Tab-separated table of all heavy atoms in Angstrom:
chain	number	residue	atom	x	y	z
A	1	MET	N	-2.857	-3.838	-0.177
A	1	MET	CA	-2.689	-2.693	-0.912
A	1	MET	C	-3.971	-2.180	-1.461
A	1	MET	O	-4.845	-2.951	-1.881
A	1	MET	CB	-1.697	-3.049	-2.136
A	1	MET	CG	-1.116	-1.884	-2.866
A	1	MET	SD	-2.008	-1.268	-4.395
A	1	MET	CE	-2.303	-2.709	-5.314
A	2	MET	N	-4.160	-0.928	-1.360
A	2	MET	CA	-5.356	-0.288	-1.953
A	2	MET	C	-4.919	0.807	-2.978
A	2	MET	O	-3.953	1.526	-2.765
A	2	MET	CB	-6.161	0.458	-0.818
A	2	MET	CG	-6.659	-0.514	0.204
A	2	MET	SD	-7.437	0.304	1.613
A	2	MET	CE	-5.989	0.772	2.505
A	3	TYR	N	-5.574	0.865	-4.117
A	3	TYR	CA	-5.204	1.710	-5.160
A	3	TYR	C	-6.348	2.659	-5.469
A	3	TYR	O	-7.490	2.190	-5.653
A	3	TYR	CB	-4.804	0.958	-6.436
A	3	TYR	CG	-4.410	1.856	-7.566
A	3	TYR	CD1	-3.326	2.677	-7.444
A	3	TYR	CD2	-5.039	1.868	-8.788
A	3	TYR	CE1	-2.940	3.563	-8.495
A	3	TYR	CE2	-4.712	2.652	-9.821
A	3	TYR	CZ	-3.627	3.548	-9.685
A	3	TYR	OH	-3.244	4.365	-10.674
A	4	ASP	N	-6.035	3.968	-5.509
A	4	ASP	CA	-7.044	5.015	-5.840
A	4	ASP	C	-6.659	5.487	-7.243
A	4	ASP	O	-5.721	6.364	-7.324
A	4	ASP	CB	-6.977	6.116	-4.840
A	4	ASP	CG	-7.955	7.190	-5.113
A	4	ASP	OD1	-8.527	7.302	-6.139
A	4	ASP	OD2	-8.133	8.080	-4.198
A	5	PRO	N	-7.282	5.004	-8.259
A	5	PRO	CA	-6.868	5.395	-9.689
A	5	PRO	C	-7.061	6.861	-9.989
A	5	PRO	O	-6.288	7.463	-10.660
A	5	PRO	CB	-7.743	4.486	-10.556
A	5	PRO	CG	-8.820	3.977	-9.681
A	5	PRO	CD	-8.346	4.024	-8.310
A	6	GLU	N	-8.156	7.489	-9.384
A	6	GLU	CA	-8.273	8.914	-9.607
A	6	GLU	C	-7.176	9.766	-9.082
A	6	GLU	O	-6.662	10.707	-9.720
A	6	GLU	CB	-9.675	9.464	-9.081
A	6	GLU	CG	-10.862	8.981	-9.849
A	6	GLU	CD	-11.412	7.635	-9.390
A	6	GLU	OE1	-11.290	7.365	-8.238
A	6	GLU	OE2	-11.870	6.902	-10.231
A	7	ALA	N	-6.719	9.425	-7.879
A	7	ALA	CA	-5.607	10.185	-7.307
A	7	ALA	C	-4.221	9.673	-7.725
A	7	ALA	O	-3.249	10.335	-7.529
A	7	ALA	CB	-5.668	10.078	-5.748
A	8	GLY	N	-4.147	8.491	-8.296
A	8	GLY	CA	-2.887	7.837	-8.710
A	8	GLY	C	-2.084	7.488	-7.471
A	8	GLY	O	-0.826	7.579	-7.579
A	9	ILE	N	-2.713	7.023	-6.425
A	9	ILE	CA	-1.966	6.775	-5.211
A	9	ILE	C	-2.309	5.353	-4.755
A	9	ILE	O	-3.473	4.930	-4.706
A	9	ILE	CB	-2.319	7.715	-4.075
A	9	ILE	CG1	-1.800	9.111	-4.398
A	9	ILE	CG2	-1.715	7.252	-2.752
A	9	ILE	CD1	-2.185	10.204	-3.387
A	10	ALA	N	-1.278	4.537	-4.467
A	10	ALA	CA	-1.468	3.215	-3.875
A	10	ALA	C	-1.088	3.297	-2.400
A	10	ALA	O	-0.079	4.037	-2.062
A	10	ALA	CB	-0.530	2.196	-4.558
A	11	ARG	N	-1.809	2.727	-1.565
A	11	ARG	CA	-1.552	2.709	-0.125
A	11	ARG	C	-1.314	1.259	0.373
A	11	ARG	O	-2.139	0.390	0.076
A	11	ARG	CB	-2.718	3.315	0.681
A	11	ARG	CG	-2.870	4.825	0.342
A	11	ARG	CD	-4.084	5.350	1.020
A	11	ARG	NE	-4.197	6.817	0.740
A	11	ARG	CZ	-4.830	7.339	-0.260
A	11	ARG	NH1	-5.474	6.508	-1.108
A	11	ARG	NH2	-4.876	8.591	-0.461
A	12	VAL	N	-0.234	1.129	1.070
A	12	VAL	CA	0.201	-0.171	1.572
A	12	VAL	C	0.091	-0.182	3.103
A	12	VAL	O	0.673	0.768	3.772
A	12	VAL	CB	1.620	-0.610	1.198
A	12	VAL	CG1	2.044	-1.895	1.778
A	12	VAL	CG2	1.719	-0.606	-0.328
A	13	ILE	N	-0.724	-0.962	3.709
A	13	ILE	CA	-0.821	-1.000	5.171
A	13	ILE	C	0.124	-2.050	5.662
A	13	ILE	O	0.132	-3.191	5.175
A	13	ILE	CB	-2.277	-1.433	5.621
A	13	ILE	CG1	-3.231	-0.366	5.081
A	13	ILE	CG2	-2.372	-1.514	7.153
A	13	ILE	CD1	-4.700	-0.717	5.314
A	14	THR	N	0.972	-1.690	6.619
A	14	THR	CA	2.039	-2.626	7.108
A	14	THR	C	2.396	-2.247	8.555
A	14	THR	O	1.814	-1.371	9.126
A	14	THR	CB	3.286	-2.533	6.209
A	14	THR	OG1	4.158	-3.560	6.551
A	14	THR	CG2	3.945	-1.192	6.264
A	15	ASN	N	3.287	-3.006	9.084
A	15	ASN	CA	3.805	-2.830	10.447
A	15	ASN	C	4.990	-1.906	10.414
A	15	ASN	O	5.827	-1.974	9.553
A	15	ASN	CB	4.152	-4.175	11.037
A	15	ASN	CG	4.482	-4.088	12.485
A	15	ASN	OD1	5.533	-3.485	12.878
A	15	ASN	ND2	3.714	-4.663	13.312
A	16	LYS	N	5.045	-0.921	11.390
A	16	LYS	CA	6.144	-0.002	11.432
A	16	LYS	C	7.529	-0.599	11.500
A	16	LYS	O	8.526	0.036	11.196
A	16	LYS	CB	5.955	1.068	12.465
A	16	LYS	CG	6.032	0.579	13.884
A	16	LYS	CD	5.719	1.727	14.888
A	16	LYS	CE	5.780	1.308	16.270
A	16	LYS	NZ	5.505	2.429	17.233
A	17	ALA	N	7.660	-1.895	11.923
A	17	ALA	CA	8.969	-2.541	12.031
A	17	ALA	C	9.278	-3.360	10.802
A	17	ALA	O	10.305	-4.026	10.659
A	17	ALA	CB	8.934	-3.455	13.247
A	18	SER	N	8.415	-3.247	9.762
A	18	SER	CA	8.665	-4.051	8.524
A	18	SER	C	9.775	-3.568	7.674
A	18	SER	O	10.192	-2.383	7.764
A	18	SER	CB	7.358	-4.057	7.769
A	18	SER	OG	7.135	-2.792	7.109
A	19	THR	N	10.222	-4.383	6.813
A	19	THR	CA	11.284	-4.014	5.869
A	19	THR	C	10.848	-2.951	4.949
A	19	THR	O	11.582	-1.955	4.596
A	19	THR	CB	11.662	-5.255	5.061
A	19	THR	OG1	12.191	-6.269	5.899
A	19	THR	CG2	12.862	-4.890	4.059
A	20	GLU	N	9.531	-2.937	4.487
A	20	GLU	CA	8.971	-1.929	3.622
A	20	GLU	C	9.167	-0.559	4.198
A	20	GLU	O	9.627	0.428	3.549
A	20	GLU	CB	7.530	-2.127	3.311
A	20	GLU	CG	7.250	-3.381	2.533
A	20	GLU	CD	6.850	-4.543	3.461
A	20	GLU	OE1	7.152	-4.539	4.685
A	20	GLU	OE2	6.309	-5.523	2.966
A	21	VAL	N	8.828	-0.417	5.548
A	21	VAL	CA	8.949	0.889	6.196
A	21	VAL	C	10.415	1.288	6.319
A	21	VAL	O	10.735	2.524	6.102
A	21	VAL	CB	8.291	0.825	7.611
A	21	VAL	CG1	8.542	2.082	8.351
A	21	VAL	CG2	6.764	0.582	7.435
A	22	GLY	N	11.314	0.362	6.483
A	22	GLY	CA	12.793	0.741	6.570
A	22	GLY	C	13.308	1.294	5.271
A	22	GLY	O	14.256	2.118	5.284
A	23	HIS	N	12.700	0.885	4.150
A	23	HIS	CA	13.159	1.376	2.805
A	23	HIS	C	12.758	2.825	2.587
A	23	HIS	O	13.428	3.531	1.824
A	23	HIS	CB	12.565	0.504	1.690
A	23	HIS	CG	13.170	-0.840	1.673
A	23	HIS	ND1	14.578	-1.057	1.518
A	23	HIS	CD2	12.598	-2.007	1.665
A	23	HIS	CE1	14.754	-2.309	1.525
A	23	HIS	NE2	13.560	-3.003	1.577
A	24	VAL	N	11.723	3.344	3.280
A	24	VAL	CA	11.277	4.742	2.963
A	24	VAL	C	12.336	5.751	3.331
A	24	VAL	O	12.705	6.544	2.497
A	24	VAL	CB	9.937	5.008	3.732
A	24	VAL	CG1	9.502	6.468	3.621
A	24	VAL	CG2	8.814	4.081	3.178
A	25	PRO	N	12.835	5.807	4.618
A	25	PRO	CA	13.898	6.802	4.873
A	25	PRO	C	15.211	6.554	4.116
A	25	PRO	O	15.883	7.428	3.820
A	25	PRO	CB	14.117	6.699	6.406
A	25	PRO	CG	13.462	5.400	6.781
A	25	PRO	CD	12.512	5.028	5.827
A	26	ALA	N	15.465	5.220	3.783
A	26	ALA	CA	16.684	4.928	3.033
A	26	ALA	C	16.601	5.525	1.585
A	26	ALA	O	17.705	5.765	1.098
A	26	ALA	CB	16.881	3.430	3.010
A	27	ALA	N	15.408	5.780	1.099
A	27	ALA	CA	15.328	6.251	-0.240
A	27	ALA	C	15.656	7.784	-0.277
A	27	ALA	O	15.957	8.286	-1.365
A	27	ALA	CB	13.878	6.061	-0.744
A	28	GLY	N	15.581	8.386	0.866
A	28	GLY	CA	15.896	9.861	0.834
A	28	GLY	C	14.778	10.687	0.325
A	28	GLY	O	13.704	10.211	0.029
A	29	PRO	N	14.961	11.963	0.298
A	29	PRO	CA	13.869	12.935	-0.065
A	29	PRO	C	13.358	12.758	-1.464
A	29	PRO	O	12.245	13.097	-1.821
A	29	PRO	CB	14.491	14.293	0.119
A	29	PRO	CG	15.923	14.100	0.235
A	29	PRO	CD	16.186	12.756	0.642
A	30	GLU	N	14.202	12.241	-2.344
A	30	GLU	CA	13.769	12.018	-3.742
A	30	GLU	C	12.870	10.784	-3.941
A	30	GLU	O	12.209	10.612	-4.977
A	30	GLU	CB	14.966	11.894	-4.669
A	30	GLU	CG	15.806	13.132	-4.782
A	30	GLU	CD	14.982	14.372	-5.301
A	30	GLU	OE1	14.302	14.120	-6.342
A	30	GLU	OE2	15.075	15.428	-4.767
A	31	GLY	N	12.911	9.940	-2.958
A	31	GLY	CA	12.135	8.650	-3.014
A	31	GLY	C	12.828	7.629	-3.874
A	31	GLY	O	13.967	7.825	-4.230
A	32	ALA	N	12.133	6.594	-4.185
A	32	ALA	CA	12.654	5.578	-5.087
A	32	ALA	C	11.532	4.930	-5.892
A	32	ALA	O	10.335	4.971	-5.522
A	32	ALA	CB	13.360	4.436	-4.194
A	33	ARG	N	11.875	4.326	-6.979
A	33	ARG	CA	10.934	3.703	-7.790
A	33	ARG	C	10.615	2.327	-7.214
A	33	ARG	O	11.523	1.684	-6.733
A	33	ARG	CB	11.478	3.470	-9.217
A	33	ARG	CG	11.657	4.895	-9.936
A	33	ARG	CD	11.922	4.603	-11.348
A	33	ARG	NE	10.740	4.189	-12.036
A	33	ARG	CZ	10.277	4.710	-13.104
A	33	ARG	NH1	10.945	5.749	-13.650
A	33	ARG	NH2	9.205	4.372	-13.693
A	34	VAL	N	9.355	1.958	-7.179
A	34	VAL	CA	9.002	0.721	-6.580
A	34	VAL	C	7.943	-0.041	-7.604
A	34	VAL	O	7.330	0.633	-8.358
A	34	VAL	CB	8.359	0.809	-5.203
A	34	VAL	CG1	9.341	1.458	-4.281
A	34	VAL	CG2	7.129	1.595	-5.283
A	35	ALA	N	7.808	-1.320	-7.420
A	35	ALA	CA	6.791	-2.083	-8.070
A	35	ALA	C	5.880	-2.702	-7.020
A	35	ALA	O	6.348	-3.188	-6.038
A	35	ALA	CB	7.404	-3.146	-8.951
A	36	VAL	N	4.624	-2.549	-7.207
A	36	VAL	CA	3.643	-3.066	-6.211
A	36	VAL	C	2.641	-3.969	-6.967
A	36	VAL	O	2.204	-3.642	-8.011
A	36	VAL	CB	2.831	-1.902	-5.566
A	36	VAL	CG1	1.881	-2.445	-4.558
A	36	VAL	CG2	3.795	-0.920	-4.994
A	37	CYS	N	2.360	-5.080	-6.347
A	37	CYS	CA	1.357	-6.001	-6.930
A	37	CYS	C	0.477	-6.517	-5.821
A	37	CYS	O	0.888	-6.574	-4.681
A	37	CYS	CB	1.993	-7.148	-7.760
A	37	CYS	SG	2.915	-8.276	-6.766
A	38	GLU	N	-0.745	-6.953	-6.205
A	38	GLU	CA	-1.633	-7.531	-5.205
A	38	GLU	C	-1.804	-8.945	-5.602
A	38	GLU	O	-2.492	-9.253	-6.632
A	38	GLU	CB	-2.948	-6.764	-5.231
A	38	GLU	CG	-3.898	-7.268	-4.138
A	38	GLU	CD	-5.091	-6.351	-4.029
A	38	GLU	OE1	-5.848	-6.234	-4.946
A	38	GLU	OE2	-5.230	-5.766	-2.956
A	39	VAL	N	-1.195	-9.863	-4.858
A	39	VAL	CA	-1.239	-11.246	-5.238
A	39	VAL	C	-2.550	-11.917	-4.841
A	39	VAL	O	-3.084	-12.760	-5.537
A	39	VAL	CB	-0.040	-11.995	-4.549
A	39	VAL	CG1	-0.110	-13.492	-4.819
A	39	VAL	CG2	1.240	-11.433	-4.958
A	40	VAL	N	-3.146	-11.508	-3.699
A	40	VAL	CA	-4.300	-12.191	-3.218
A	40	VAL	C	-5.612	-11.822	-4.023
A	40	VAL	O	-6.522	-12.536	-4.125
A	40	VAL	CB	-4.535	-11.793	-1.680
A	40	VAL	CG1	-5.753	-12.440	-1.128
A	40	VAL	CG2	-3.311	-12.180	-0.911
A	41	GLY	N	-5.618	-10.604	-4.626
A	41	GLY	CA	-6.755	-10.190	-5.446
A	41	GLY	C	-7.815	-9.486	-4.614
A	41	GLY	O	-7.507	-8.924	-3.593
A	42	PRO	N	-9.028	-9.567	-5.123
A	42	PRO	CA	-10.073	-8.854	-4.423
A	42	PRO	C	-10.342	-9.234	-2.960
A	42	PRO	O	-10.873	-8.404	-2.224
A	42	PRO	CB	-11.311	-9.128	-5.330
A	42	PRO	CG	-10.866	-9.804	-6.517
A	42	PRO	CD	-9.468	-10.283	-6.231
A	43	ARG	N	-9.965	-10.398	-2.579
A	43	ARG	CA	-10.199	-10.802	-1.179
A	43	ARG	C	-9.489	-9.823	-0.237
A	43	ARG	O	-9.995	-9.531	0.816
A	43	ARG	CB	-9.648	-12.184	-0.918
A	43	ARG	CG	-10.444	-13.224	-1.623
A	43	ARG	CD	-10.060	-14.611	-1.217
A	43	ARG	NE	-8.559	-14.668	-1.236
A	43	ARG	CZ	-7.934	-15.775	-1.608
A	43	ARG	NH1	-8.534	-16.867	-1.974
A	43	ARG	NH2	-6.617	-15.799	-1.631
A	44	CYS	N	-8.347	-9.293	-0.644
A	44	CYS	CA	-7.567	-8.375	0.198
A	44	CYS	C	-8.411	-7.096	0.364
A	44	CYS	O	-8.501	-6.584	1.507
A	44	CYS	CB	-6.247	-8.071	-0.425
A	44	CYS	SG	-5.052	-7.451	0.654
A	45	ALA	N	-8.999	-6.610	-0.653
A	45	ALA	CA	-9.750	-5.319	-0.585
A	45	ALA	C	-11.034	-5.595	0.323
A	45	ALA	O	-11.418	-4.826	1.088
A	45	ALA	CB	-10.181	-4.885	-1.933
A	46	GLU	N	-11.616	-6.769	0.155
A	46	GLU	CA	-12.861	-7.058	0.961
A	46	GLU	C	-12.438	-7.156	2.446
A	46	GLU	O	-13.274	-6.727	3.297
A	46	GLU	CB	-13.404	-8.412	0.566
A	46	GLU	CG	-14.080	-8.437	-0.831
A	46	GLU	CD	-14.390	-9.772	-1.340
A	46	GLU	OE1	-14.227	-10.771	-0.553
A	46	GLU	OE2	-14.793	-9.903	-2.461
A	47	ARG	N	-11.315	-7.540	2.731
A	47	ARG	CA	-10.894	-7.689	4.136
A	47	ARG	C	-10.899	-6.330	4.788
A	47	ARG	O	-11.178	-6.216	6.047
A	47	ARG	CB	-9.475	-8.269	4.170
A	47	ARG	CG	-8.891	-8.408	5.564
A	47	ARG	CD	-7.497	-9.022	5.491
A	47	ARG	NE	-6.971	-8.949	6.833
A	47	ARG	CZ	-5.652	-9.141	7.024
A	47	ARG	NH1	-4.803	-9.418	6.081
A	47	ARG	NH2	-5.164	-9.038	8.255
A	48	TYR	N	-10.535	-5.241	4.081
A	48	TYR	CA	-10.357	-3.933	4.696
A	48	TYR	C	-11.593	-3.060	4.521
A	48	TYR	O	-11.543	-1.900	4.747
A	48	TYR	CB	-9.100	-3.250	4.161
A	48	TYR	CG	-7.909	-3.952	4.599
A	48	TYR	CD1	-7.134	-4.664	3.751
A	48	TYR	CD2	-7.456	-3.832	5.978
A	48	TYR	CE1	-5.992	-5.315	4.190
A	48	TYR	CE2	-6.358	-4.496	6.371
A	48	TYR	CZ	-5.627	-5.247	5.511
A	48	TYR	OH	-4.474	-5.890	5.923
A	49	GLU	N	-12.767	-3.583	4.047
A	49	GLU	CA	-13.976	-2.743	3.944
A	49	GLU	C	-14.444	-2.356	5.337
A	49	GLU	O	-14.956	-1.335	5.522
A	49	GLU	CB	-15.031	-3.502	3.187
A	49	GLU	CG	-14.801	-3.541	1.735
A	49	GLU	CD	-15.975	-4.185	0.971
A	49	GLU	OE1	-16.936	-4.489	1.554
A	49	GLU	OE2	-15.750	-4.427	-0.230
A	50	ARG	N	-14.183	-3.214	6.314
A	50	ARG	CA	-14.588	-2.817	7.675
A	50	ARG	C	-13.401	-2.130	8.334
A	50	ARG	O	-12.207	-2.347	7.905
A	50	ARG	CB	-15.042	-4.008	8.494
A	50	ARG	CG	-13.844	-5.006	8.773
A	50	ARG	CD	-14.379	-6.265	9.448
A	50	ARG	NE	-13.267	-7.040	9.992
A	50	ARG	CZ	-12.521	-7.782	9.237
A	50	ARG	NH1	-12.650	-7.844	7.969
A	50	ARG	NH2	-11.521	-8.500	9.841
A	51	ALA	N	-13.615	-1.289	9.262
A	51	ALA	CA	-12.523	-0.559	9.892
A	51	ALA	C	-11.727	-1.498	10.784
A	51	ALA	O	-12.247	-2.212	11.640
A	51	ALA	CB	-13.078	0.567	10.814
A	52	PRO	N	-10.369	-1.474	10.586
A	52	PRO	CA	-9.497	-2.412	11.456
A	52	PRO	C	-9.470	-1.862	12.846
A	52	PRO	O	-9.646	-0.696	13.075
A	52	PRO	CB	-8.189	-2.311	10.797
A	52	PRO	CG	-8.221	-1.091	9.941
A	52	PRO	CD	-9.635	-0.774	9.595
A	53	GLY	N	-9.206	-2.784	13.817
A	53	GLY	CA	-9.108	-2.344	15.200
A	53	GLY	C	-7.882	-1.525	15.438
A	53	GLY	O	-6.959	-1.460	14.553
A	54	PRO	N	-7.768	-0.865	16.520
A	54	PRO	CA	-6.554	-0.021	16.833
A	54	PRO	C	-5.356	-0.877	16.869
A	54	PRO	O	-5.342	-2.062	17.363
A	54	PRO	CB	-6.896	0.526	18.203
A	54	PRO	CG	-8.393	0.419	18.447
A	54	PRO	CD	-8.801	-0.793	17.554
A	55	ASN	N	-4.273	-0.390	16.338
A	55	ASN	CA	-2.971	-1.048	16.349
A	55	ASN	C	-1.883	0.011	16.286
A	55	ASN	O	-1.649	0.579	15.219
A	55	ASN	CB	-2.851	-2.031	15.189
A	55	ASN	CG	-1.522	-2.773	15.196
A	55	ASN	OD1	-0.551	-2.417	15.907
A	55	ASN	ND2	-1.446	-3.814	14.370
A	56	PRO	N	-1.187	0.326	17.360
A	56	PRO	CA	-0.182	1.387	17.292
A	56	PRO	C	0.933	1.066	16.406
A	56	PRO	O	1.746	1.986	16.080
A	56	PRO	CB	0.177	1.547	18.796
A	56	PRO	CG	-0.225	0.245	19.476
A	56	PRO	CD	-1.350	-0.240	18.645
A	57	SER	N	1.194	-0.112	16.011
A	57	SER	CA	2.301	-0.485	15.140
A	57	SER	C	1.899	-0.440	13.652
A	57	SER	O	2.762	-0.577	12.727
A	57	SER	CB	2.716	-1.938	15.418
A	57	SER	OG	3.246	-2.003	16.720
A	58	ARG	N	0.637	-0.139	13.337
A	58	ARG	CA	0.203	-0.062	11.923
A	58	ARG	C	0.512	1.257	11.284
A	58	ARG	O	0.386	2.330	11.893
A	58	ARG	CB	-1.321	-0.234	11.891
A	58	ARG	CG	-1.848	-0.284	10.426
A	58	ARG	CD	-3.345	-0.384	10.406
A	58	ARG	NE	-3.797	-1.681	10.974
A	58	ARG	CZ	-4.602	-1.714	11.984
A	58	ARG	NH1	-5.164	-0.675	12.557
A	58	ARG	NH2	-4.958	-2.960	12.496
A	59	VAL	N	1.091	1.234	10.102
A	59	VAL	CA	1.438	2.457	9.341
A	59	VAL	C	0.930	2.276	7.918
A	59	VAL	O	0.723	1.115	7.455
A	59	VAL	CB	2.934	2.786	9.279
A	59	VAL	CG1	3.426	3.092	10.741
A	59	VAL	CG2	3.742	1.638	8.759
A	60	VAL	N	0.770	3.378	7.249
A	60	VAL	CA	0.368	3.368	5.795
A	60	VAL	C	1.462	4.006	5.010
A	60	VAL	O	1.915	5.142	5.309
A	60	VAL	CB	-0.943	4.105	5.614
A	60	VAL	CG1	-1.343	4.135	4.131
A	60	VAL	CG2	-2.040	3.436	6.424
A	61	ILE	N	1.931	3.284	3.928
A	61	ILE	CA	2.886	3.917	3.045
A	61	ILE	C	2.141	4.352	1.840
A	61	ILE	O	1.346	3.533	1.163
A	61	ILE	CB	3.966	2.864	2.647
A	61	ILE	CG1	4.745	2.417	3.858
A	61	ILE	CG2	4.907	3.464	1.620
A	61	ILE	CD1	5.681	1.326	3.585
A	62	GLU	N	2.192	5.608	1.434
A	62	GLU	CA	1.522	6.083	0.198
A	62	GLU	C	2.592	6.153	-0.883
A	62	GLU	O	3.622	6.665	-0.776
A	62	GLU	CB	0.968	7.442	0.407
A	62	GLU	CG	-0.269	7.470	1.305
A	62	GLU	CD	-1.039	8.726	1.277
A	62	GLU	OE1	-0.518	9.814	0.904
A	62	GLU	OE2	-2.209	8.743	1.689
A	63	ILE	N	2.117	5.625	-2.069
A	63	ILE	CA	3.007	5.562	-3.266
A	63	ILE	C	2.309	6.253	-4.385
A	63	ILE	O	1.172	5.927	-4.726
A	63	ILE	CB	3.289	4.069	-3.660
A	63	ILE	CG1	3.956	3.302	-2.485
A	63	ILE	CG2	4.136	3.963	-4.897
A	63	ILE	CD1	3.919	1.770	-2.650
A	64	VAL	N	2.993	7.250	-4.966
A	64	VAL	CA	2.457	7.957	-6.096
A	64	VAL	C	2.749	7.103	-7.328
A	64	VAL	O	3.890	6.827	-7.641
A	64	VAL	CB	3.040	9.361	-6.246
A	64	VAL	CG1	2.597	10.084	-7.488
A	64	VAL	CG2	2.766	10.165	-5.027
A	65	ALA	N	1.708	6.770	-8.064
A	65	ALA	CA	1.789	5.866	-9.174
A	65	ALA	C	2.197	6.755	-10.475
A	65	ALA	O	1.552	7.743	-10.709
A	65	ALA	CB	0.497	5.096	-9.502
A	66	THR	N	3.193	6.322	-11.191
A	66	THR	CA	3.570	6.900	-12.477
A	66	THR	C	3.034	6.108	-13.600
A	66	THR	O	2.929	6.579	-14.704
A	66	THR	CB	5.094	7.105	-12.572
A	66	THR	OG1	5.691	5.822	-12.534
A	66	THR	CG2	5.626	7.978	-11.552
A	67	ARG	N	2.639	4.922	-13.334
A	67	ARG	CA	2.149	3.979	-14.324
A	67	ARG	C	1.372	2.826	-13.614
A	67	ARG	O	1.787	2.352	-12.580
A	67	ARG	CB	3.243	3.379	-15.156
A	67	ARG	CG	2.868	2.537	-16.262
A	67	ARG	CD	4.013	2.274	-17.215
A	67	ARG	NE	5.057	1.469	-16.523
A	67	ARG	CZ	5.933	0.687	-17.190
A	67	ARG	NH1	5.975	0.720	-18.493
A	67	ARG	NH2	6.736	-0.056	-16.573
A	68	ALA	N	0.348	2.395	-14.236
A	68	ALA	CA	-0.434	1.297	-13.691
A	68	ALA	C	-0.758	0.243	-14.772
A	68	ALA	O	-1.178	0.700	-15.899
A	68	ALA	CB	-1.697	1.755	-12.984
A	69	LEU	N	-0.588	-0.965	-14.519
A	69	LEU	CA	-0.915	-2.038	-15.445
A	69	LEU	C	-2.082	-2.908	-14.840
A	69	LEU	O	-2.192	-2.940	-13.619
A	69	LEU	CB	0.272	-2.915	-15.735
A	69	LEU	CG	1.488	-2.156	-16.266
A	69	LEU	CD1	2.744	-3.051	-16.332
A	69	LEU	CD2	1.272	-1.584	-17.601
A	70	GLY	N	-2.748	-3.618	-15.724
A	70	GLY	CA	-3.774	-4.540	-15.150
A	70	GLY	C	-5.136	-4.149	-15.564
A	70	GLY	O	-5.391	-3.316	-16.408
A	71	ARG	N	-6.137	-4.768	-14.864
A	71	ARG	CA	-7.496	-4.581	-15.249
A	71	ARG	C	-8.228	-3.525	-14.542
A	71	ARG	O	-9.418	-3.418	-14.478
A	71	ARG	CB	-8.251	-5.927	-15.069
A	71	ARG	CG	-7.795	-6.999	-16.070
A	71	ARG	CD	-8.536	-8.171	-15.914
A	71	ARG	NE	-7.702	-9.190	-15.180
A	71	ARG	CZ	-8.102	-10.190	-14.529
A	71	ARG	NH1	-9.421	-10.490	-14.504
A	71	ARG	NH2	-7.277	-10.995	-13.954
A	72	GLY	N	-7.451	-2.692	-13.842
A	72	GLY	CA	-7.972	-1.518	-13.216
A	72	GLY	C	-8.655	-1.756	-11.932
A	72	GLY	O	-9.351	-1.072	-11.309
């Protein structure tokens, strides 16, 4: 998960066959409230500093944040 505090958007990189992706169309046009947390911490962000290799199954889910908790 990557969070852009200025834009208020969290981005989750996942596989298009994942459960998370299946929830997106099920939520309908209004969307749904979700909770997102990063368990691994900064190591996860360090992992994605380099450009990942091509993967046709990779998708990004963008989540508009209405509230954020934590140390920023």
Side-chain angles (χ1 to χ4, degrees):
M1 194 265 312
M2 295 174 280
Y3 179 60
D4 180 350
E6 285 89 33
I9 295 176
R11 292 177 179 89
V12 178
I13 299 172
T14 188
N15 186 294
K16 66 182 177 183
S18 70
T19 302
E20 295 95 343
V21 172
H23 290 305
V24 173
E30 295 298 315
R33 295 188 74 126
V34 298
V36 180
C37 65
E38 185 170 65
V39 177
V40 179
R43 292 186 314 215
C44 199
E46 291 169 6
R47 177 179 173 197
Y48 293 107
E49 283 183 10
R50 67 184 192 285
N55 181 346
S57 295
R58 183 182 298 123
V59 296
V60 176
I61 300 172
E62 287 192 342
I63 302 165
V64 176
T66 58
R67 183 168 69 156
L69 305 174
R71 292 183 257 161

